[in-house]
Amino acid sequence: MAKPVSEYTRKRNFDITSEPPETSGRARSNKSKALTFVIHKHDARNLHYDFRLELDGTLKSWAVPKGPSLDPKNKRLAVHVEDHPLGYGSFEGSIPEGQYGAGDVIVWDRGVWQPHGDPRATYKAGKLKFTLIGEKLTGDWALVRTHLQGSGDKEQWLLIKEKDEAVRSADEYDIVADKPESVVSGATVGEGRSAAKAPKRKAASAPVAEKKPAASKPASKKAATKKSSVPDKLSPQLATLMDTPPAGDWLYEIKFDGYRIMARIRDGEVRMITRNGHDWTDRLPLQAKAIADLNLGDGWLDGEVVVLNDAGLPDFQALQNAFEIGRSKDIVYYLFDVPFLNGEDIREKPVEERRAALKKLLGRQAKGLLRFSDAFSANHRDIIESACSLSLEGVIGKRAGSVYQSRRSPDWIKLKCKLRQEFVIVGFTKPQGTRSGFGALLLAVNEEGAGLVYAGRVGTGFNQKMLDDMFGQMKALEQDASPLAKKLTSAQARGVHWIEPTLVGEVEFGEWTREGIIRHSSFIALRSDKPAEEVVHEYPRTPKDIKAPFKPKASKSGASKTEEPPSKPARTRSGKDRIEVAGVLISHPERVIDKESGLHKIDLAHFYESISDWILPHLDHRPVALLRCPEGVEGEQFFQKHSERLAIPNIKQLDPELDPGHARLMEIDTVQALVGAAQMGTIELHTWGSTYDQIELPDHFVLDLDPDTDLPWRSMVEATQLTLSVLDELGLDAYIKTSGGKGMHILVPLARKADWDTVKAFAKALAQFISQQLPERFTATSGPKNRIGKIFIDYLRNTRGASTVAAYSVRARPGLPVSVPIARDELTSLKSSAQWNIANLQKRLRKLKADPWAGYKNTQRITKPMWKRLGVKAPG
């Protein structure tokens, strides 16, 4: 007999809505996992909050019109609605018009809940009491069923804050108004609704805040509105690449990772036009209809179409996939300018006025398929750092008071987080090993007076579908002769299949060499919106070039040219199938070691070389253990403590008497040894708690705070603060670092006086003391069943022969995060323990003004009064 369709499924058309179907959520054993909760803020017909508690494999759900209150006097109405699948807990996006619950949805809060008593029995009885551990809500709460009559047959409940330390008077504080943003993306919804007293809101899925432009002088004497007929064609204004933000009054927006689209409205008909004049209306039918529904007069709108990922950020590959399968409903059209409005030419009005007019005309329509591109509110000096920390491609700056010009203008600038541009694809190589399709692409750019000039290769960033699809396209374009103006050497051209230079690909890379070759490259996607003849080497300008408007000298391709010199030459030397890094030959450099980021073995070697000055002091004179992952993060992993027969280039073998009965321990004390370990498939580096010259006397102990994975990050921050407070009370100086995973590491430096057993016993006593004082938050007992909804204080690393991942070591996890030392005052601003990875850590290191662990000294001793304060008798 077929299972009856649930109310959740019955109400939704999953071919249209992006909400998860019921099959996306799997029931979990409540015995081995904490129960999760999520609160969605839902800007539907009426703005409300959806309160959801995990129970019996579903999310029990209540609609709370006014949202939760921290005041027990405010008993919030909670209307019981249909159960939602567990997969809905991570949903954030826009439910299309015409669908049930149409409107924007954000994750307002999430975490774990701890029921008081049997949750099934209290739920059935209508008297649920529980503790919340969320990013915003904490403490004890109750959901109580009433006998009030509501609309239809839906039960009426009350959501009530219980009296505890988290209580706040409603006269003094409103958490709904004070914290309107998503805990996932930082986005807000419901601007201008009943929560208007909240701080400035952000667009539904764009993690930026609107900046109120400062008043500026008119752009010119012609700034008065001119009546004119709307042209059939209009070229967009293009931005000039910059290396740093210039001084002056600028408005900054997201640099969207999508396709630039101009929307033309003529006699009620909307056409969606690419920057090169191609009509894409058939590919964007829903967006065209949404614009038509605005009932505007003749005009032109300017914007970018994107697809947003789960974090609310633009995903270009997802955009291409949406076009390929014809899912126009997944595409969002962000609008940022309006050159012509209702038959009027307003191009010479200041950009602030044009944007204000655009925002006004979108009004309540600025959601779903059409959205207004909000501006950053940060100081201009922090703009690019803020954008990069959000994993954005970069930002676009627009000079306050500037007019709209259909050309590349210095009044619009672009600042990129990484070097990234289009290249002409001129050839490909054969695949190696188990890879199919092709190995690497040969790239080129147009150079004035010279034609196509070789710019290097890219062999990473492809998934299997891209390999297959692109190989088919390139095979059809294959030709015998090289399309490059200057022939490559016989070694460079060996095995290359040349193709007609018509395909354009976007590539992200680390730098240009002096010879004009890109390094550390990764393929992003094919670009069908830019002709091959327009692809040139993009040189960033400096602020001194752009203090005042200028007229750039145009090349034959129409792009601006400067004499900005390329970057310093590379420090690597290539062989036939190996690349030299720091004097170490890296074999199989193109092997992908992390599918999530697309990073490969050579990237890891370059990373360890680049941070050698930071990591080597933490490896100096210490036995090191290696986590080797020859096939990458997803392959088999080996933990190696001894040198054995493995010949790791340049690694130092220690005295065999340090660990009798085993092969020699190892030390990494040079950049060559560091890179040599990466060559042998090492990702993680773990060190002992002592130096080998006094191996029996540890010089620090470490507490590894390891949370239940369902706990919110806020709990991790609070747990670290609480542990540090206990150490402060004991008079012990402590230092913290991210684990690169979910938890935090706290290191306490010691004078080399106590032996291993004493240090481990003290760390154990400390962990047990904290867990006894706060048993609802901590546990000192290992094992998943003891850590449900809690944080395990792991003291077991303080044993002879045990080790902890070193500061600045990469972790063998998706995304290749790094364990990073931080200062105490950085803790509350930390977003995740995996916040830094091999792609973004250098940016942090460059802006550091001081060592986060400045003052670290091995002079502290464990004293008898300390043991006494922990309630334990000192050994001996």
Side-chain angles (χ1 to χ4, degrees):
M1 183 175 178
K3 182 179 178 180
V5 176
S6 70
E7 185 179 0
Y8 173 84
T9 296
R10 181 179 59 79
K11 288 180 174 180
R12 290 162 176 83
N13 183 344
F14 296 107
D15 291 331
I16 299 176
T17 182
S18 57
E19 295 168 280
E22 288 185 283
T23 54
S24 67
R26 298 179 181 178
R28 307 184 305 169
S29 171
N30 294 341
K31 295 181 180 180
S32 60
K33 297 286 290 184
L35 295 171
T36 62
F37 84 90
V38 63
I39 301 176
H40 284 107
K41 187 175 180 181
H42 190 174
D43 189 16
R45 181 174 56 187
N46 296 302
L47 181 69
H48 65 277
Y49 295 76
D50 293 309
F51 189 95
R52 312 189 196 280
L53 299 175
E54 177 187 351
L55 186 63
D56 292 332
T58 65
L59 291 173
K60 303 298 180 184
S61 299
W62 292 261
V64 184
K66 294 185 178 181
S69 170
L70 301 183
D71 192 335
K73 297 177 182 177
N74 286 354
K75 298 176 174 61
R76 298 299 203 199
L77 174 65
V79 181
H80 202 315
V81 296
E82 72 274 11
D83 293 350
H84 283 53
L86 293 183
Y88 208 96
S90 59
F91 173 69
E92 188 170 85
S94 183
I95 302 173
E97 295 293 337
Q99 291 296 295
Y100 175 76
D104 293 327
V105 178
I106 62 171
V107 177
W108 185 79
D109 196 15
R110 65 179 178 183
V112 303
W113 71 286
Q114 300 169 337
H116 300 175
D118 182 350
R120 296 171 184 83
T122 54
Y123 171 69
K124 184 177 181 180
K127 294 181 180 180
L128 260 175
K129 292 193 175 185
F130 47 89
T131 298
L132 294 181
I133 306 175
E135 298 286 358
K136 297 177 182 176
L137 299 186
T138 59
D140 295 338
W141 295 76
L143 271 167
V144 180
R145 186 169 55 229
T146 73
H147 299 291
L148 298 174
Q149 293 296 318
S151 59
D153 58 353
K154 290 184 169 48
E155 297 176 344
Q156 309 287 294
W157 294 55
L158 295 175
L159 176 64
I160 307 168
K161 179 73 187 76
E162 298 281 300
K163 294 181 179 180
D164 57 22
E165 293 181 355
V167 164
R168 298 282 296 273
S169 169
D171 296 333
E172 300 174 357
Y173 183 72
D174 182 354
I175 192 169
V176 167
D178 186 59
K179 296 183 176 182
E181 71 285 345
S182 161
V183 295
V184 173
S185 65
T188 63
V189 295
E191 184 175 13
R193 293 279 200 136
S194 59
K197 59 182 177 179
K200 279 284 183 180
R201 305 301 177 86
K202 294 173 271 188
S205 294
V208 293
E210 172 67 1
K211 174 184 177 182
K212 195 171 183 178
S216 60
K217 296 179 180 180
S220 72
K221 293 181 179 180
K222 299 179 181 180
T225 299
K226 296 190 304 182
K227 288 284 184 179
S228 70
S229 60
V230 174
D232 289 331
K233 297 181 179 180
L234 182 68
S235 296
Q237 181 160 347
L238 304 178
T240 301
L241 181 63
M242 294 284 292
D243 60 356
T244 56
D249 192 4
W250 295 79
L251 284 70
Y252 287 94
E253 305 168 46
I254 285 179
K255 186 181 188 304
F256 290 105
D257 194 7
Y259 285 118
R260 184 78 172 273
I261 296 291
M262 305 282 287
R264 187 191 68 197
I265 305 106
R266 291 288 298 272
D267 300 323
E269 181 186 36
V270 177
R271 310 305 296 178
M272 309 295 284
I273 311 297
T274 71
R275 59 177 286 185
N276 294 306
H278 301 300
D279 191 334
W280 280 18
T281 311
D282 291 340
R283 305 181 73 181
L284 296 162
L286 297 180
Q287 290 71 23
K289 182 179 184 302
I291 294 173
D293 289 343
L294 296 176
N295 295 317
L296 303 177
D298 293 356
W300 281 91
L301 306 178
D302 194 357
E304 189 117 353
V305 292
V306 303
V307 168
L308 304 174
N309 62 18
D310 292 339
L313 301 174
D315 184 338
F316 187 78
Q317 186 60 54
L319 175 63
Q320 288 198 317
N321 294 340
F323 276 128
E324 288 177 6
I325 62 177
R327 285 177 66 91
S328 177
K329 74 180 183 66
D330 292 340
I331 299 173
V332 177
Y333 188 20
Y334 273 100
L335 293 160
F336 45 72
D337 214 321
V338 52
F340 288 83
L341 178 60
N342 291 325
E344 298 178 353
D345 180 358
I346 60 173
R347 288 176 293 179
E348 290 187 354
K349 283 190 173 184
V351 62
E352 301 96 309
E353 293 187 26
R354 300 196 308 272
R355 283 175 52 78
L358 176 62
K359 187 172 185 178
K360 182 177 180 180
L361 72 88
L362 289 174
R364 284 287 296 131
Q365 298 283 346
K367 53 184 283 186
L369 298 176
L370 303 181
R371 304 187 189 181
F372 180 71
S373 174
D374 280 317
F376 281 98
S377 60
N379 181 281
H380 78 278
R381 297 182 184 276
D382 302 324
I383 286 298
I384 193 64
E385 292 178 1
S386 299
C388 297
S389 69
L390 292 170
S391 301
L392 299 172
E393 182 189 351
V395 296
I396 295 291
K398 298 174 182 177
R399 192 195 302 275
S402 62
V403 301
Y404 190 97
Q405 306 170 72
S406 294
R407 64 179 180 86
R408 193 173 301 280
S409 164
D411 288 335
W412 284 22
I413 61 172
K414 54 186 174 182
L415 298 160
K416 296 187 177 182
C417 294
K418 297 179 181 178
L419 292 176
R420 179 167 168 167
Q421 71 160 77
E422 293 87 4
F423 292 87
V424 181
I425 300 172
V426 295
F428 62 93
T429 62
K430 292 182 179 179
Q432 300 293 323
T434 59
R435 185 162 170 170
S436 62
F438 58 88
L441 303 178
L442 275 71
L443 309 172
V445 292
N446 291 287
E447 187 171 291
E448 184 179 11
L452 277 174
V453 177
Y454 180 62
R457 302 186 182 203
V458 58
T460 63
F462 308 101
N463 57 36
Q464 190 58 52
K465 186 176 186 303
M466 294 167 69
L467 288 170
D468 295 340
D469 291 349
M470 292 178 63
F471 181 65
Q473 293 184 60
M474 292 190 294
K475 285 293 290 182
L477 298 171
E478 200 166 353
Q479 63 182 31
D480 294 332
S482 166
L484 296 172
K486 182 180 179 181
K487 304 299 181 184
L488 300 182
T489 66
S490 58
Q492 289 176 318
R494 185 179 296 118
V496 172
H497 296 258
W498 302 109
I499 65 172
E500 295 177 26
T502 58
L503 297 178
V504 174
E506 187 170 3
V507 177
E508 187 177 83
F509 54 99
E511 64 177 350
W512 288 96
T513 69
R514 191 177 300 277
E515 294 77 21
I517 305 299
I518 61 172
R519 297 180 65 226
H520 308 159
S521 56
S522 179
F523 190 79
I524 304 299
L526 284 175
R527 300 296 302 230
S528 59
D529 58 333
K530 188 169 186 178
E533 57 270 18
E534 290 187 12
V535 174
V536 296
H537 182 155
E538 297 180 4
Y539 293 99
R541 292 182 175 272
T542 61
K544 67 180 182 180
D545 297 322
I546 204 149
K547 287 182 179 178
F550 66 95
K551 294 182 179 180
K553 181 180 179 181
S555 67
K556 289 183 179 180
S557 65
S560 304
K561 287 192 65 181
T562 73
E563 299 302 321
E564 187 73 21
S567 57
K568 295 180 180 179
R571 291 183 291 170
T572 60
R573 176 172 61 82
S574 299
K576 183 177 180 180
D577 55 1
R578 295 186 294 176
I579 296 177
E580 183 181 296
V581 179
V584 178
L585 286 174
I586 306 298
S587 61
H588 307 293
E590 300 302 321
R591 176 180 293 157
V592 175
I593 60 173
D594 175 39
K595 291 183 179 179
E596 179 176 296
S597 62
L599 293 166
H600 40 98
K601 185 178 178 181
I602 191 64
D603 295 317
L604 182 66
H606 278 303
F607 172 78
Y608 272 131
E609 179 202 25
S610 70
I611 65 155
S612 59
D613 289 343
W614 291 89
I615 192 173
L616 285 175
H618 297 279
L619 302 173
D620 189 36
H621 281 76
R622 294 185 187 279
V624 64
L626 313 175
L627 184 66
R628 297 178 53 232
C629 312
E631 299 304 319
V633 170
E634 297 183 348
E636 191 172 0
Q637 301 180 356
F638 306 89
F639 196 73
Q640 182 179 346
K641 296 172 59 176
H642 303 88
S643 59
E644 299 170 343
R645 297 180 180 179
L646 181 66
I648 298 176
N650 303 293
I651 203 159
K652 182 177 180 179
Q653 298 191 27
L654 301 178
D655 188 331
E657 295 303 316
L658 294 175
D659 202 13
H662 298 91
R664 295 188 178 204
L665 295 171
M666 303 173 287
E667 180 196 6
I668 289 177
D669 59 352
T670 66
V671 63
Q672 289 77 20
L674 188 61
V675 175
Q679 153 59 16
M680 298 307 295
T682 299
I683 294 181
E684 295 187 7
L685 305 168
H686 295 242
T687 55
W688 282 41
S690 66
T691 55
Y692 60 75
D693 55 334
Q694 298 187 60
I695 199 165
E696 303 302 337
L697 299 174
D699 64 356
H700 70 260
F701 70 84
V702 60
L703 299 176
D704 178 3
L705 304 186
D706 190 6
D708 180 325
T709 55
D710 285 322
L711 281 173
W713 175 246
R714 169 180 170 176
S715 294
M716 193 69 253
V717 172
E718 291 176 347
T720 306
Q721 292 172 320
L722 289 168
T723 306
L724 289 171
S725 296
V726 174
L727 290 166
D728 289 342
E729 287 294 318
L730 292 173
L732 287 172
D733 198 14
Y735 298 82
I736 54 177
K737 68 182 180 74
T738 65
S739 68
K742 297 289 186 181
M744 293 290 292
H745 292 164
I746 301 178
L747 275 78
V748 179
L750 298 173
R752 296 172 179 85
K753 298 295 181 181
D755 60 17
W756 284 105
D757 289 343
T758 301
V759 170
K760 179 184 176 183
F762 184 80
K764 179 180 180 180
L766 180 60
Q768 291 177 333
F769 174 81
I770 296 173
S771 62
Q772 289 165 3
Q773 297 300 310
L774 295 166
E776 73 281 2
R777 304 288 295 274
F778 295 96
T779 178
T781 306
S782 62
K785 66 179 182 180
N786 300 308
R787 196 174 48 191
I788 298 174
K790 300 181 180 181
I791 292 169
F792 170 47
I793 308 176
D794 186 356
Y795 61 88
L796 300 172
R797 300 175 184 275
N798 304 294
T799 305
R800 190 189 192 281
S803 59
T804 303
V805 70
Y808 298 109
S809 169
V810 181
R811 303 306 306 271
R813 303 181 181 197
L816 296 181
V818 181
S819 179
V820 180
I822 66 169
R824 282 202 186 191
D825 59 9
E826 294 182 282
L827 180 60
T828 55
S829 62
L830 204 63
K831 303 300 182 186
S832 161
S833 192
Q835 181 167 325
W836 292 288
N837 52 53
I838 74 171
N840 64 15
L841 179 61
Q842 283 288 2
K843 183 169 295 183
R844 166 180 168 78
L845 298 181
R846 283 195 298 268
K847 71 177 185 178
L848 278 179
K849 296 180 181 179
D851 184 348
W853 284 9
Y856 188 106
K857 294 180 181 179
N858 297 102
T859 57
Q860 300 181 121
R861 298 191 184 194
I862 300 172
T863 64
K864 288 185 177 181
M866 293 179 186
W867 289 96
K868 185 176 181 180
R869 296 192 70 175
L870 295 177
V872 178
K873 183 179 179 181

